[in-house]
Structures are given as structure tokens and as C-alpha cells.
Amino acid sequence: MTTTGILRDLAQNVGGNFVDVVSIVPDNADPHTYEPTLRDARNVVYADVAFSNYALLEEQSIIKTLDANVSDGAISVSLAEESVKYAADIIALVEDVALDTVWLGLRALGDGAQYGATRTSEVELSTIAATGPGDVYAYLTGSFGDTDVYFDSSDGFDASNGYRDDTTTLPADAHSHLSWAFTEPGVYTLTLQARLQVDDTSKPVPLDVATYVFAVGVNPAVAAEEAGISDPIVLDGGHADLTVDLDAGELIVRYDAEGSGEDAPRTLAADRVIIDVPAKTLEQIPGGSQYSFLGHAGDEVYQLPQAVLGKHVHGEIDPHLWQDVRNAMAYVKLMRDTFIAADPAHAADYAANAAAYLEELERTDEYVRSTIAQIPAAHRYLVTTHDAFGYLAHAYEITVAGFVTPNPASEPSLADRRKLAETIRSLEVPAVFLEPNLAARSSTLTDVASEEGVEVCAIYGDTFSDTVTTYVEMMRFNADSLLECLGS
């Protein structure tokens, strides 16, 4: 059993005639969003071996389906985490948000092992109280303009149902991106409660309660004085996360002042921090029913932007390792060793299959490298809809110039479209790249490309299609598409 079609193909090449391989996520589907079926759960029950990519690539429900149903005797391997044994090149997930206000997210730090937590456990974060002159909202804007409200102070907080309507969940050791909106200027407080849900049947483990202070359109010194903080730490830029530290069992703030990910983030006590929401964050509420919870279209709110498009819960490393063929080779070696451990009678067959496939992957790696090298350096820029190509860029000397990241207050905003257009013009990018499985749902990239007179070309990220059905085909297709569309 594998979680994705790409892993299915790698496993089939190693296992050959001695294995039957099924993936949970079907081809053309997105592992970030796919919801498993009862048939998927049944298939897992019968598996002798299970391979997931993880590093928080797959939707949490996929991992739950796998881990809850795999038999005690089966071998389950998380390839991204284990691949370092075979010298996989791991890239830290760097998020230089390039914003001039703080980018504020949520984080679960640590694995909660002392509580018996596993990768299927979830951290619950509930807003249990808020104060301020107006209402406060935390919400997420999806890739195609839909909104998901996480916290909403306008209708109060209901303890009788466990603050169900103002609770969000994160996997252990993950973080997420949100927008934060405030309807009036002034000093706000937001009180969060953290709990750990070890499994679906256990009672949640209470962790901590903490209150965070926001200076909205006012001097942070005023907010500090009102909150009684004598030596405040003002967060006015970079990347900050309201964080549940599972190891310490407390709520804190993790803060990277530069937002680049290059320096170790600081750990700050919640009661020392003032989160600055300056006057320049004042924006009009756009039209559309998806934003009606904020107020009437045209009304103004103070807003800290989400910065990253769509649902984006992840860990500390970029999980798309296979976009570097040499990382896929590390996966193959792990699969070989796993099959041998599960079925030693056919050890020689698995070793032979893996050796032959590794030779093919060596040729594929050289093909991708030599093909992309033919693209003039001035044109070697990649603009896509999805941030899945960091490894491709790193391994084969391409620059990721950008992907579609609209301001979360609009769908999409004119400013975001202008930014994308300016990127294409300033870099003289001859083409942009769209994943086939997203083509029917995405318009921003194609519309701007049409306006700028550049080509829209195909590139494969997380899944196969009806025409590209193997990993080798996918990587060769991507190299050919890049050369054809950028090589002029």
C-alpha cells in the first residue's frame, strides 16, 4: 500500500511480479486534499507493507486511514524521513514572506511522545475569550477563493460545546497560515486554550491557556501599558507563530524576525509579546459571499495577511523530495530493503529489480540535468500555481520565480495579479507552468499569462495523469516541457 501514485510506481518497479501495489490517492487527485474512502481503508487492512511520503505531504485523513488500519504485522515506512539513510538531499521549507507587517500563523511544536502521541494525533487550539473595541477573526483563504473561519469573536465563545465553533486542529510538529482581521482600531486580547487529542477515543489532554495582545492601528506602547507589560517584545515584521510547545506543555510564540527561515527562531513568552497590526493594514472588504462574515463589501478592516495561498499545513522540510531524481533513488533503496525484510525468500529478486531500476533512474537524472542545461540562463525561471518544485529547482539549477499567492482578503486581488504580471514582465519569462490536475480549477495564472502574451505549459508535481503514468515519464516530460517552453 502506498499513499500516492508516484510512490506506487516506484514500489512496483522494485517489487516486480512479487508484489501487488495499490495507492490510496488515485491518479489525477491531490494528496494535499484527497479524502480516503471506505475502500481505501479496507485495502490498507490487507497490506503487508505500507509506504507513505509524509513530512506532512499527505492530508491528515490519509495518514489516519493508513495508520489506523494497517495490521500489526505490516511494515510501515515514512520515506521522506527515512531517506536520509541513503543521502537524500533534504531542503528546509523556507518561507520568506517579503511582507512589511508580521506574518502570523499557528504552530504545534514537538511530537508529544510523553503523552503517547503519534503522527495521527492532533493538537486542538480553541479561542475561549477575546476583548477589544471590535470583532476579531482568524480565517484561511483557499486556493480558489473559498474561506474557512477558524476563530470568530462576533458570536461569542461557547464553553458548553467545548468551543467547537472556535477550534482548529494541527498535526503534531506542524504549522499553518492564517489571515487575522480586526473591525476597529484599539487594543485586543485573544485567549487560547491548547489540548492534545492523542487518538479518536481518548479524552483530550489539557496543555495550557495563554493570552496574546494585539495593537491594532495604535501605538504598541499604548497596548503594552494597557496590558500591563513592562518590557514588551513588539512583533512588527517577519514570521511569528502562536505555538503549542508539546514538550513543555505550554503556549508560547515562535518568532523569526527576518521571515527567511535562515536563522533559528526565537522562543518568546506569550505574556511578553505585543503583535503589531499597523494602520497600513487597513483594507476594504471585497465583494463576494465568502467574505460576508467580515462585514459589508467596501467596509474597512485591519488585516494581517495570510501570505501563502490556500490550505498549507506543513512541517519543517519541503516534502516533495521526488522532484530531484536522486532523492527518488533513495526512496527506491528504502523500498528494496523493506521488501527484503518483509519477504526474505525473494531478496535476490528485489535486489535485482532495484539495481535495474536505479540504473534507469541514473539515466533519467542525467537526461533531466542535460535537458534543462540547454535552457538559456536568462530564461531559467519557473512560475507555477503550486510550490512543489523546490527540489527540481535546487537539483537542476532553475530559479522558482514565484507561484500564485493572492492576498487573502480578495479572490484574486488586482494587486496580486499586477505582482504576477510584473514578475513575468521583469524577468521576461516566456512561459508559465500549470499542473494538469489543477487546470480546470485555476484561472489566475492562465488569465495573466494570456494578458502578458506568454505560453501556459504543463508540469507535473504530485500526481500522474491519463497520459503520464510513471515516474520516469513524469520527470522526462517535465524536463522536455521546460526546455520547449523556456528554451527559446
Side-chain angles (χ1 to χ4, degrees):
M1 200 76 200
T2 70
T3 52
T4 72
I6 291 171
L7 301 185
R8 181 191 68 231
D9 181 56
L10 299 181
Q12 190 66 68
N13 275 280
V14 176
N17 295 329
F18 300 99
V19 299
D20 293 312
V21 189
V22 178
S23 63
I24 294 177
V25 182
D27 294 344
N28 286 310
D30 184 352
H32 299 289
T33 59
Y34 178 75
E35 290 296 329
T37 64
L38 289 175
R39 181 174 182 176
D40 293 325
R42 184 199 64 189
N43 288 340
V44 172
V45 170
Y46 294 105
D48 301 299
V49 171
F51 293 117
S52 57
N53 185 83
Y54 207 48
L56 289 154
L57 171 85
E58 297 94 342
E59 177 73 14
Q60 188 73 351
S61 59
I62 297 173
I63 296 300
K64 283 189 172 183
T65 296
L66 187 68
D67 289 4
N69 294 286
V70 70
S71 67
D72 292 338
I75 301 174
S76 184
V77 178
S78 295
L79 293 162
E81 285 88 346
E82 297 293 327
S83 62
V84 293
K85 295 177 181 177
Y86 288 102
D89 189 6
I90 302 297
I91 297 176
L93 197 57
V94 175
E95 293 151 335
D96 186 349
V97 298
L99 299 175
D100 57 1
T101 59
V102 68
W103 169 36
L104 189 65
L106 302 176
R107 179 182 291 267
L109 181 67
D111 58 15
Q114 71 270 38
Y115 303 107
T118 68
R119 68 179 186 173
T120 63
S121 302
E122 292 182 330
V123 175
E124 296 180 351
L125 261 178
S126 304
T127 302
I128 62 174
T131 67
D135 298 319
V136 55
Y137 305 88
Y139 69 98
L140 183 147
T141 299
S143 302
F144 305 102
D146 54 307
T147 54
D148 186 5
V149 180
Y150 282 25
F151 310 137
D152 174 358
S153 72
S154 66
D155 56 0
F157 304 101
D158 188 354
S160 66
N161 64 11
Y163 304 101
R164 180 184 60 206
D165 297 332
D166 295 284
T167 295
T168 187
T169 60
L170 284 173
D173 209 22
H175 67 280
S176 185
H177 314 265
L178 293 178
S179 286
W180 302 80
F182 304 83
T183 58
E184 300 290 341
V187 179
Y188 290 75
T189 67
L190 197 68
T191 302
L192 301 185
Q193 171 185 278
R195 302 188 300 178
L196 175 65
Q197 184 72 53
V198 174
D199 55 50
D200 292 338
T201 60
S202 300
K203 185 178 179 180
V205 178
L207 297 174
D208 195 17
V209 175
T211 297
Y212 298 90
V213 179
F214 295 78
V216 179
V218 299
N219 191 321
V222 173
E225 182 178 356
E226 187 171 317
I229 302 174
S230 59
D231 187 20
I233 300 171
V234 177
L235 308 187
D236 56 6
H239 176 187
D241 287 315
L242 308 186
T243 299
V244 184
D245 185 340
L246 291 172
D247 296 330
E250 62 182 3
L251 277 159
I252 57 172
V253 176
R254 294 269 285 178
Y255 182 50
D256 175 5
E258 299 299 324
S260 65
E262 295 179 1
D263 299 319
R266 298 169 62 192
T267 297
L268 307 175
D271 60 5
R272 291 272 319 275
V273 166
I274 300 292
I275 300 162
D276 187 21
V277 187
K280 62 185 175 183
T281 64
L282 196 61
E283 296 188 12
Q284 288 187 343
I285 300 171
S289 60
Q290 67 269 43
Y291 299 108
S292 61
F293 66 93
L294 292 172
H296 299 291
D299 289 351
E300 292 185 324
V301 294
Y302 295 81
Q303 180 162 269
L304 293 177
Q306 183 178 318
V308 173
L309 172 66
K311 185 177 180 182
H312 201 68
V313 176
H314 52 74
E316 299 305 316
I317 68 170
D318 186 334
H320 305 88
L321 276 74
W322 61 87
Q323 288 290 338
D324 178 347
V325 177
R326 305 208 74 81
N327 285 345
M329 294 170 71
Y331 280 20
V332 165
K333 293 172 185 176
L334 274 170
M335 290 175 169
R336 174 199 62 198
D337 295 350
T338 305
F339 284 144
I340 289 173
D343 182 21
H346 295 106
D349 299 293
Y350 298 131
N353 289 345
Y357 190 45
L358 287 169
E359 289 182 3
E360 183 177 8
L361 292 180
E362 284 275 10
R363 294 191 294 271
T364 301
D365 178 64
E366 178 55 35
Y367 181 85
V368 174
R369 192 175 309 280
S370 61
T371 301
I372 291 175
Q374 298 175 52
I375 302 171
H379 287 174
R380 215 174 292 166
Y381 291 103
L382 184 59
V383 177
T384 70
T385 53
H386 178 209
D387 57 335
F389 301 97
Y391 287 95
L392 181 74
H394 178 72
Y396 304 109
E397 299 184 2
I398 303 174
T399 297
V400 176
F403 42 86
V404 182
T405 54
N407 185 300
S410 56
E411 194 280 318
S413 74
L414 292 175
D416 294 315
R417 292 173 68 94
R418 284 197 299 269
K419 182 178 178 181
L420 182 60
E422 288 168 3
T423 298
I424 293 171
R425 284 196 299 268
S426 63
L427 297 176
E428 298 182 349
V429 175
V432 298
F433 292 84
L434 178 64
E435 293 166 75
N437 64 303
L438 299 179
R441 297 180 293 158
S442 180
S443 61
T444 301
L445 187 66
T446 54
D447 288 349
V448 173
S450 176
E451 293 166 3
E452 296 301 317
V454 301
E455 191 175 1
V456 178
C457 299
I459 193 169
Y460 286 83
D462 298 330
T463 188
F464 298 143
S465 69
D466 296 336
T467 56
V468 173
T469 59
T470 72
Y471 174 72
V472 168
E473 287 178 0
M474 182 185 83
M475 295 306 296
R476 287 177 173 262
F477 178 95
N478 284 354
D480 291 339
S481 182
L482 288 166
L483 176 58
E484 179 180 352
C485 297
L486 299 179
S488 57

